[in-house]
Amino acid sequence: MDRSETELMLKGYGLTTAEIFYRMPDFQRVLNSYVWQDYDLAPDHKRLFEFIEFWQREIEGPLHSVRFTHRKLIGPGEWRNMVGEFTLH
């Protein structure tokens, strides 16, 4: 079941961004990078680790390193539903 980004953020999810460094099978001296983003829960980062496991299982480019950051964009106390709008001038 897909949930909206707002629903995920209100449930505690934050935006996780990972920069994945890997080597091409034919060019081992060349280091490439791939940027991955998804909403994930800290400190477990289940979706990030699932992606890394998928990479190791399905993609031929061996991983060199992974650097990531996690940021909660909003929390339940920072959001409120507005019913109306008042405009002046």
Side-chain angles (χ1 to χ4, degrees):
M1 177 175 160
D2 288 333
R3 296 185 175 146
S4 72
E5 293 178 2
T6 305
E7 286 179 302
L8 289 173
M9 288 186 279
L10 290 173
K11 291 183 180 203
Y13 283 77
L15 186 63
T16 300
T17 304
E19 186 174 16
I20 300 168
F21 294 96
Y22 66 98
R23 298 189 186 276
M24 296 295 289
D26 297 339
F27 302 97
Q28 289 293 316
R29 294 183 183 198
V30 178
L31 196 59
N32 296 298
S33 69
Y34 177 81
V35 176
W36 174 89
Q37 278 189 327
D38 201 354
Y39 288 96
D40 209 352
L41 282 171
D44 297 333
H45 300 288
K46 181 180 176 188
R47 291 185 180 176
L48 174 60
F49 290 122
E50 285 174 355
F51 180 75
I52 291 172
E53 289 171 0
F54 165 78
W55 184 292
Q56 292 173 331
R57 186 178 60 247
E58 301 291 332
I59 298 178
E60 292 181 16
L63 292 176
H64 175 270
S65 60
V66 177
R67 180 172 58 176
F68 73 96
T69 183
H70 178 82
R71 170 97 179 166
K72 280 191 172 184
L73 302 175
I74 64 171
E78 299 171 356
W79 184 85
R80 62 184 176 154
N81 187 19
M82 300 300 292
V83 178
E85 181 179 345
F86 178 75
T87 306
L88 180 63
H89 294 288

